[in-house]
Amino acid sequence: MTSSRRHVLKSLILTIAARWLDEEKAADIAAKEAYMAEHCIKPSMSGDQATLMETCKKLHALLDKLDEERYDLASKVGKADKEIEDLNIKVVDLRGVKKPALRKVRMSADAMLKALLGSKHSVNMDLRANLKQVKKEVKEEPQEAAGDWRKNVEDKADRKKMFEAT
């Protein structure tokens, strides 16, 4: 479909939609006028004061009745809205809250303690300073007798042969 054809079709659709909207507005106005003609009686201004007072009392009674109906409908709507809100909350509770994926944060032990305890506490996590100093004791092995050196040489030669064989 070419762009000009698409443009023509779009403009036709828009004009038809505009005409439908105008028709709906006219129908709404006609419906309002019909309702008002049916439910609102045109007062007759002819007559004496007693008939006018009677007409006013009828209109006041009608207004009171309409106000009661409006109040009742407003309270029903309010209750329905509250119930819908409660049901929406229950639906969210049943679904559960999705926990976001945790990110790996590189933080030193000092920074972590400072974040947990606040800036008031200055904690130093130099763990090496808290370690005890241990002196290494050098154990001296008793020296073997002078005749044993031949034995050691023979053991080393046997080990060397074992590695060469593999």
Side-chain angles (χ1 to χ4, degrees):
M1 185 183 300
T2 63
S3 63
S4 61
R5 176 74 176 151
R6 190 174 28 232
H7 182 67
V8 168
L9 290 175
K10 187 176 180 181
S11 64
L12 285 173
I13 290 172
L14 288 175
T15 55
I16 291 171
R19 188 173 13 154
W20 285 352
L21 286 174
D22 291 339
E23 290 173 2
E24 282 183 20
K25 286 180 185 178
D28 287 343
I29 291 171
K32 285 180 185 178
E33 288 176 358
Y35 181 82
M36 293 299 284
E38 182 182 334
H39 290 286
C40 295
I41 304 166
K42 289 187 178 180
S44 61
M45 295 298 189
S46 62
D48 59 348
Q49 188 174 3
T51 57
L52 289 176
M53 291 292 286
E54 187 66 32
T55 307
C56 286
K57 287 180 183 178
K58 286 180 185 177
L59 289 175
H60 281 291
L62 184 62
L63 284 175
D64 289 340
K65 182 181 172 186
L66 291 175
D67 282 341
E68 288 175 7
E69 288 178 9
R70 182 180 54 83
Y71 178 78
D72 291 342
L73 290 175
S75 64
K76 285 181 185 178
V77 168
K79 287 180 184 178
D81 287 344
K82 179 71 174 166
E83 187 176 342
I84 289 171
E85 185 178 337
D86 291 341
L87 291 174
N88 283 336
I89 290 171
K90 286 182 182 178
V91 166
V92 169
D93 289 343
L94 288 176
R95 280 189 201 155
V97 178
K98 291 185 179 179
K99 295 180 182 176
L102 298 177
R103 296 180 304 190
K104 188 173 184 180
V105 177
R106 297 193 72 179
M107 183 182 286
S108 67
D110 290 332
M112 193 178 301
L113 283 174
K114 196 170 189 180
L116 289 173
L117 300 175
S119 61
K120 298 177 193 174
H121 307 286
S122 61
V123 178
N124 191 2
M125 282 296 294
D126 187 13
L127 297 176
R128 292 182 183 162
N130 295 336
L131 294 176
K132 293 182 180 178
Q133 297 294 328
V134 177
K135 294 181 181 178
K136 289 188 177 180
E137 295 180 14
V138 178
K139 294 184 180 179
E140 293 185 19
E141 296 179 9
Q143 292 184 354
E144 298 177 4
D148 289 357
W149 65 272
R150 290 184 197 115
K151 183 180 176 186
N152 288 340
V153 170
E154 290 172 4
D155 289 341
K156 288 182 182 179
D158 289 340
R159 248 189 282 160
K160 186 176 182 183
K161 290 178 186 174
M162 184 175 68
F163 283 115
E164 288 174 357
T166 59

